[in-house]
Amino acid sequence: MSSKQMVVARGACAAMALCVFAAAGPSFALDLWPKKAAVADTARADYAVAALDRALAEDRTLDAGRMLDQAIAAGVSDPRLSLRAGELHLKRGRYEEAVRAFTEAEGTPALRPAALQGRGLALSNLGRSAEAVAVLNQAVAADPAQWRAWNGLGVEHDRRRAWPEAEAAYAKAAAASGDAAPVLNNRGYSRMLQGRYAEASRDIVAALDKDPQLATARANLRLLLAMQGDYDRATTVVSNQQKAEVYNNAVFVALMRSDLPEAERLLRESIDARGDTSGRAMENLQLVKALQSPAPVAKASQ
């Protein structure tokens, strides 16, 4: 089966997501400056940074963007704003802009470890893997507490199938973060790729215990169930919007496991559940049925 015929969305990035989430919930209009006529430049910068940090922590990217624009328009000049701009770009998926903003912040010694971490994560998302690993290693060398950098290194090692290195990086990330949900999820995905299903399950379930809203962990748990042949639980959905991805992933796993009868059953259920009689869906079904037919025996050459 070609990748054009059957496409599966990866959970971890999807599943290997590097803590980059879109804004959620309502947006709030916030006053950036204290209600005083004269405020010292340092105090204004401190206030802007604190407000930005709150907005970024709550994934209010629209508010954070407005605050940043307001601070720049007000003439606030502080390298900490470059670091926050990088984090905002990272959350929005604007990775080239994130690289530029983090690079600006690296010139300030106190900000350098966090800026290196952010730049490394942005480079990883851009697919510039060799650069990302080099920069992330610089980040953890400068400050081993930068857990997102360790997590990013784990992802990069996974992409290389360098399992011992990935395991070591996730262990550092877990220790530095207090077992943050994204770290547990990524380590679970890594262990699932290695066929270590029991350990993977423990990590992914623990990630969901810490953050029940972590979508990549829910997707990875479905993948893990499918990898173990539990297709019924893997395809249990709570909304119509999920059906396409959930069934597509389950079919992909069934094909990967050479479980062709289950792949056909899942495809039929997917078509029925979604009312999808498109050419692509039927082509996939016909392909799976063809794969189950005995291959013709070639005649020996005379």
Side-chain angles (χ1 to χ4, degrees):
M1 171 170 293
S2 73
S3 60
K4 292 183 179 179
Q5 290 171 311
M6 187 74 66
V7 180
V8 57
R10 290 186 59 184
C13 265
M16 298 190 175
L18 304 176
C19 306
V20 181
F21 302 105
S27 176
F28 301 94
L30 300 177
D31 291 328
L32 181 57
W33 311 117
K35 303 296 186 181
K36 293 184 179 180
V39 183
D41 287 345
T42 301
R44 293 170 70 191
D46 289 346
Y47 189 86
V49 167
L52 279 166
D53 283 346
R54 285 194 298 273
L56 290 169
E58 296 168 4
D59 285 323
R60 291 185 287 108
T61 57
L62 291 176
D63 286 334
R66 283 197 285 270
M67 292 173 187
L68 190 60
D69 290 343
Q70 190 177 356
I72 294 170
V76 178
S77 179
D78 192 295
R80 291 176 295 172
L81 294 182
S82 294
L83 184 66
R84 273 66 184 183
E87 293 292 352
L88 178 59
H89 290 313
L90 197 60
K91 283 180 176 288
R92 287 175 164 174
R94 299 173 180 173
Y95 302 124
E96 294 285 3
E97 293 93 331
V99 168
R100 288 193 287 271
F102 285 126
T103 301
E104 290 177 7
E106 285 176 34
T108 302
L111 303 178
R112 188 169 182 271
L116 286 168
Q117 170 180 256
R119 181 158 69 94
L121 296 177
L123 289 168
S124 181
N125 277 286
L126 286 167
R128 294 159 62 178
S129 184
E131 293 175 79
V133 169
V135 174
L136 291 170
N137 275 318
Q138 290 179 56
V140 296
D143 180 7
Q146 299 294 323
W147 68 266
R148 291 163 62 208
W150 286 116
N151 191 45
L153 283 168
V155 170
E156 286 293 341
H157 292 314
D158 280 338
R159 289 169 178 164
R160 294 165 170 75
R161 300 296 191 263
W163 307 127
E165 291 84 353
E167 192 76 13
Y170 288 131
K172 294 281 190 181
S177 68
D179 289 330
V183 176
L184 294 174
N185 170 63
N186 285 0
R187 187 172 66 182
Y189 186 81
S190 176
R191 289 171 170 178
M192 179 170 61
L193 292 177
Q194 300 172 59
R196 298 161 60 183
Y197 297 141
E199 295 168 278
S201 179
R202 283 195 294 271
D203 276 341
I204 295 169
V205 169
L208 285 169
D209 283 342
K210 291 212 164 196
D211 184 0
Q213 302 307 312
L214 188 56
T216 52
R218 290 199 302 271
N220 286 340
L221 185 56
R222 294 182 190 280
L223 282 174
L224 180 59
L225 290 168
M227 291 289 287
Q228 296 175 92
D230 193 346
Y231 299 111
D232 289 336
R233 290 174 64 196
T235 54
T236 301
V237 297
V238 295
S239 68
N240 287 333
Q241 289 83 355
Q242 291 179 313
K243 287 180 180 177
E245 179 181 349
V246 167
Y247 273 100
N248 194 45
N249 285 356
V251 170
F252 178 84
V253 172
L255 290 172
M256 186 176 67
R257 299 177 73 237
S258 298
D259 204 345
L260 299 179
E262 283 296 329
E264 181 180 352
R265 179 181 70 83
L266 291 165
L267 264 172
R268 290 185 183 280
E269 287 186 10
S270 173
I271 291 170
D272 291 342
R274 292 182 285 153
D276 184 2
T277 57
S278 66
R280 178 57 55 83
M282 299 309 293
E283 285 176 15
N284 287 336
L285 180 57
Q286 292 303 315
L287 177 61
V288 171
K289 291 174 68 176
L291 288 172
Q292 295 182 75
S293 300
V297 178
K299 292 183 178 180
S301 299
Q302 299 298 320

